[in-house]
Amino acid sequence: MKFAHLADIHLGFQKKESLQSMERKVFEAALDDCISRKVDFILICGDMFHSNIPNMNVQKFAFAKFRQVYEAGIPVYVVYGSHDSSPNSTSVIDLLVETGYIIKVQKTSQTSEDGSISLDFVTNKKTGVKLTGLPGLPASREIEYYENLDRQSLESEPGFKIFLFHGALAEMGPAEAKGQDVAKWGDSMPISYLPRGFDYYAGGHMHKYVHRSMDGYSNVVYPGTPFAGYPSDLEDNARGIKRGYVLVETDNSVAGGVYPDASTANTSAPLRVQFIDVPNYQYELLKIDANNKSSSMVYSEIDKRIDAVDPDGNMVILKVNGTMSEGKTTDIDFDKITETLLQNNAIAVEINRNSLSSAEYKIVESKGETNEEIALNTFAENIGGFKSPLGELMGQKGAELAQKLLQSLSMPSLQNESLAVYTERITGDALRIMRIDDDDSDGDDDSDSDGDDDSDNGGGSDGDDDNYKKELWNKGGEKG
Amino acid sequence: MMRRDNSTAANTRIVGQVIGGEFGRVAIRQKAGIEMEIGDILVLEEKDYNILLMVFDLQYASQMDDKMHEMISGVSLEEDSSGNVQFYEPNLVNYVIAHVKPLVRVKKGGSPADGEPVSTMTKTLPPFTSKLRSIEEEDLKFLDGGKDGLFVGRIRSGSEVKNVEVRLPINKIFTHHVLISATTGRGKSNLVKSMLWHVLESRAHVGILVLDAHDEYYSGFVGGSSMGGSSMGVGRRDAGPGQRPYGLRDHPDAVRKVAYYSVARDKRLPGTRTLLINIQSVKPDHFDGVVDFSEAQRGAIHTYYNRYKEQWIRNLMTINTTDTDGSREEGTDDKRSKKFSASTLNIIRRKLEMVLGLYNGPDNTLRAGNTIFDVDDRGGLTIREITDMIERGQIVVLDTSHLHSETELVVGNIIASELLNRYKRYKITGELRHKPVTSIVIEEAPRVIGADVLKSGNSNIYATIAREGRKFKVGLTAITQLSSVIPRSILANMNTKIILGNELKQERMALIDSASQDLSDDDKNIASLNIGEAIITSVFVPFAMPVKIPLFEDVAASAARHKRHTNSVRVFG
């Protein structure tokens, strides 16, 4: 018997064309490899897509690929992940299930008396392997499922069993967590929530390959992402972290099913768990320490360092960290840097400047009883560093305006409110607070009316920036 | 309990009258038909104030001299088998004198909401011959601390429980340290469980680390996952065969607010986290107050730590020291380490082996002999994970019942140090005010804050927390049978003491001497406390409060039933 285990593919995460193409290439390569190796089935343990309803192009691509796998006679078993699940609406996974290309293993029946959740097994006909599992939820809320899970029925089931799950297990944690992993491991759940005695625990959610066995839990595996689901994954790739999927094999015969009578519970020969490397880019990683340097010094250092690398055919990641002693972050022309690298045939350029700041913009924290008061006091404390000819944007008036704006922009979306409606509502509120009439800007905004719920679509307002500014000036001028 | 006859309706509330005494020791003649108890609270009404007084001593008194009593008894015993021989008007002739002390003076109709002090200390003697009545719930309304306080129990007058809740200001009591004192079987674990449960009930943001040496708080079993009763001998009342008693895990918010770590690997309750700590998390000062190292050994340890940082234990345990003169190390050119003799290093190794359960394998690789410390790549996040949870206002229970006492203390030290250091940083950055108050619950506290541990200037993290943790919102909740062995300087810093029954005079005296209120006359009161009865002395209560702690099983049962009914989770998809 032979099966493949993938997770955290995050199809639709990449926005740049070149990265999108790599995202798809590695996915295709992994599934093609599964087909050529003639695996008996494939497991995908959540976050197959980056959102529950990804862009149509992504859906089209995924459907075509899964159809190919289906036609090769390889069943694909899945659970939802924290990204592609949505308790309130449908997921594209449901469409794939409807077409029969993939099979969802989270078959539940709830016993009403004590509120516990019973899971049913899905049996793979060819091998007799029994599969079950639970989905991941945003913000690790799946823990409620495990709290109420009827483990006894799962543990007493005979046969070769696989449990699919999506979530961080504390016991699988590394010696040290960095970057995105810190938050992920912070929400981890104890392994004791999983039923014991399964032959393989197919996990998703953690983006690096880990394989461990512990008392009662043999072969707990995260395959990691095959490419990237977070910006920090690309940095890990550049540091040499291998990406791919996991291939699991036993020597048992497949004919008639490995465990046709389902009575030989995990007494078989040990599983061979093998990580299959699926290569993606060659990388160049540049790290710049901006601490105590002026913006011009940082810029020239970047320039110099870039000269020393060969971007040709590589993906270049530039990471700039630290607090500059003088100058603004906008003094560094990152667009130009990107352009230069691309002109020198870099396949893609990623710039990480999230941790770059300047001492010129040092925010002084202020006290207050409530969050609103703290925000207002902080604005009031720092607004002196902001220069504007508009009186309304300065002093106490400016601080109050900023606080109102912050409050308005912090409003969460309503239940079932689409992103487009939410964006419009929030933008409208913000404009009203700034006393800017947004009627004029509607004319340029028709490009967003196709109903495509792309999560990256910011409302198509980029082109209106100049209008906003003009309006702001005019209003401010009238008042002044 | 105060009993009355029901014959005199008009005077039914009057229980006695002041007949003499002195300030702090007023003598009351007990009314016939009333049976006062040590610990009874009485009320003396003045025009605008009520004075609450507590009975602390009782004695017989009579208008006749002893000879006459002896004579009457002789007649009754020897001559009159019917027992009808009585005094003429016995209620007037023989009576009981109760000695009472003033507790507090309370403004009538006052409320804490008025902003003025409702209760003050009494500084005068009550008028001679003034009458006292038994306390009513109405008289205790001034204690109403709102619903935000930590519920500890209900006010008790003697052994009669009044329907008046005692709630302590939760943020203050934990940072100002709590001492829970009792001998075995007086309801200590019931109190701790009940307090932790009510921390979960309160809206306050409190993070607590519990070093549970008996593994009894989370699952309700002593010993965690196996069946057994609590140390009070009280099991779950409605528990049939195979059912388990209640624990913190039955709280409706347990999934979100309680984390349970254990090293036990079999028969684990679902949700149990693995207590696995990478040895890289262990630093030299984590052994302070736990393992006795000589100066030379200490020097060697610090040198290794400075040189190898988180790899210090690995290197100290594995670098070969078997050279002949005992003064040189092979495999290193570290000049500084050469000054440590092989015997010094071997002693350190033996101590580390014992406490951390490590040993050097045949191929000179470090191995872990127990289940808590990992020498490879696992358990690196555990300490941070636990500290994060405490910082998020959760209760983290560590089952340390499977650990050697010294190992338990080292684990506690690691987390306590991390927590205190983290909160010290928050103090500097100004973030501390947004962080929840925290407390570390430790049993058999003299193990870490006993005088013998802290002798000769030794200190450890717990003593540091007791002395200065308040500034950083880190407190200690120390549970002990032996308060007398805790240094006075630390005992005095424990600003809330919950005193359960204690038959040892020496222990009672240590508590009385360090109490926040004057308990000098309460020795008998403390000695006579029954299971579940307690006296709370604290800078945050107006007088030393007699309370009845609720039975945890009762508290948990209704909430757990509610949890079962509302916990209907549906898996979507």
Side-chain angles (χ1 to χ4, degrees), chain B residues 216-227:
Chain B
E216 58 190 323
Y217 299 133
Y218 181 74
S219 68
F221 291 113
V222 174
S225 50
S226 58
M227 288 291 284

Side-chain angles (χ1 to χ4, degrees), chain A residues 240-311:
Chain A
I241 297 276
K242 296 285 180 206
R243 301 298 189 185
Y245 74 96
V246 167
L247 185 71
V248 185
E249 290 177 276
T250 66
D251 291 331
N252 304 59
S253 155
V254 177
V258 180
Y259 304 101
D261 61 356
S263 59
T264 50
N266 57 23
T267 54
S268 59
L271 298 181
R272 282 195 305 278
V273 179
Q274 189 189 353
F275 184 79
I276 305 294
D277 193 1
V278 180
N280 48 74
Y281 289 123
Q282 297 292 314
Y283 293 85
E284 287 283 356
L285 177 64
L286 289 174
K287 280 191 194 170
I288 310 284
D289 179 5
N291 276 315
N292 304 319
K293 293 171 189 163
S294 67
S295 53
S296 57
M297 283 161 75
V298 174
Y299 194 21
S300 63
E301 186 175 338
I302 294 172
D303 220 26
K304 207 182 292 172
R305 294 278 300 277
I306 278 176
D307 271 353
V309 301
D310 179 14

Side-chain angles (χ1 to χ4, degrees), chain A residues 49-255:
Chain A
F49 298 97
H50 192 64
S51 62
N52 60 323
I53 305 173
N55 184 294
M56 284 301 281
N57 288 329
V58 175
Q59 294 189 39
K60 192 176 155 194
F61 161 75
F63 271 73
K65 195 69 211 167
F66 279 116
R67 184 178 166 183
Q68 227 179 317
V69 177
Y70 176 76
E71 283 168 356
I74 301 173
V76 179
Y77 300 100
V78 304
V79 287
Y80 296 123
S82 45
H83 276 260
D84 51 17
S85 64
S86 172
N88 300 326
S89 64
T90 327
S91 166
V92 63
I93 287 175
D94 300 321
L95 303 183
L96 282 162
V97 171
E98 281 300 313
T99 57
Y101 292 164
I102 65 174
I103 301 149
K104 215 160 49 175
V105 299
Q106 53 205 55
K107 306 271 185 211
T108 61
S109 52
Q110 189 147 359
T111 47
S112 57
E113 269 182 28
D114 61 354
S116 68
I117 294 168
S118 300
L119 287 176
D120 297 333
F121 283 92
V122 174
T123 305
N124 176 260
K125 280 183 193 155
K126 189 173 171 192
T127 61
V129 169
K130 295 175 181 177
L131 306 106
T132 190
L134 277 170
L137 284 179
S140 305
R141 281 182 288 122
E142 68 273 0
I143 199 160
E144 287 189 17
Y145 296 160
Y146 289 97
E147 178 69 12
N148 293 282
L149 182 63
D150 171 13
R151 285 169 200 76
Q152 206 170 2
S153 64
L154 297 176
E155 289 171 358
S156 59
E157 178 81 15
F160 186 101
K161 297 179 290 185
I162 299 178
F163 192 88
L164 285 77
F165 66 98
H166 184 91
L169 293 176
E171 287 79 358
M172 297 289 282
E176 199 187 358
K178 286 178 182 165
Q180 191 71 38
D181 285 351
V182 174
K184 278 199 157 190
W185 285 113
D187 276 335
S188 60
M189 154 183 117
I191 198 166
S192 61
Y193 270 131
L194 300 187
R196 288 162 177 269
F198 277 58
D199 298 84
Y200 188 84
Y201 293 87
H205 193 55
M206 302 318 295
H207 284 197
K208 287 178 193 147
Y209 169 62
V210 194
H211 172 204
R212 277 180 186 161
S213 290
M214 47 204 100
D215 291 341
Y217 302 95
S218 55
N219 296 308
V220 190
V221 177
Y222 290 114
T225 177
F227 178 50
Y230 291 111
S232 61
D233 289 337
L234 290 171
E235 281 174 39
D236 284 337
N237 294 356
R239 287 191 195 98
I241 297 276
K242 296 285 180 206
R243 301 298 189 185
Y245 74 96
V246 167
L247 185 71
V248 185
E249 290 177 276
T250 66
D251 291 331
N252 304 59
S253 155
V254 177

Side-chain angles (χ1 to χ4, degrees), chain A residues 80 85-87 104 106 108 110 114-115 117 134-137 143-145 147-148 151 170-171 173-177 182 185-186 188-193 196 212-215 365-367 374, chain B residues 218 249 254-256 261 265-276 278 280 376-381 384-385 388-389 392 429-431 433-434 563-565 567-573:
Chain A
Y80 296 123
S85 64
S86 172
K104 215 160 49 175
Q106 53 205 55
T108 61
Q110 189 147 359
D114 61 354
I117 294 168
L134 277 170
L137 284 179
I143 199 160
E144 287 189 17
Y145 296 160
E147 178 69 12
N148 293 282
R151 285 169 200 76
E171 287 79 358
E176 199 187 358
V182 174
W185 285 113
S188 60
M189 154 183 117
I191 198 166
S192 61
Y193 270 131
R196 288 162 177 269
R212 277 180 186 161
S213 290
M214 47 204 100
D215 291 341
E365 201 188 342
S366 299
K367 291 180 184 177
I374 294 167
Chain B
Y218 181 74
R249 75 182 304 261
V255 175
R256 288 191 301 114
Y261 283 82
R265 288 181 175 173
D266 55 340
K267 292 183 187 170
R268 264 196 205 168
L269 291 165
T272 303
R273 291 172 183 270
T274 307
L275 187 55
L276 186 71
N278 197 287
Q280 294 186 25
D376 300 316
D377 61 346
R378 294 163 70 173
L381 303 181
R384 185 162 72 188
E385 188 181 78
D388 284 351
M389 287 173 179
R392 284 200 297 263
T429 58
E431 294 167 86
R433 64 176 186 271
H434 305 303
K563 180 185 180 184
R564 276 200 294 278
H565 287 138
N567 230 357
S568 185
V569 179
R570 197 155 270 296
V571 181
F572 77 94

Side-chain angles (χ1 to χ4, degrees), chain A residues 147, chain B residues 189-201 208 210 212 216-221 244-260 269 395-398 552-553 555-556 559-560 563:
Chain A
E147 178 69 12
Chain B
S189 59
N190 181 71
L191 166 64
V192 176
K193 262 197 282 190
S194 174
M195 275 178 76
L196 293 172
W197 183 279
H198 285 102
V199 167
L200 296 172
E201 294 279 280
I208 296 185
V210 185
D212 186 358
E216 58 190 323
Y217 299 133
Y218 181 74
S219 68
F221 291 113
R244 58 175 189 81
Y246 290 112
L248 291 179
R249 75 182 304 261
D250 294 298
H251 192 276
D253 288 335
V255 175
R256 288 191 301 114
K257 287 188 173 175
V258 185
Y260 172 65
L269 291 165
I395 294 180
V396 180
V397 182
L398 301 192
F552 177 75
E553 300 295 325
V555 173
K563 180 185 180 184

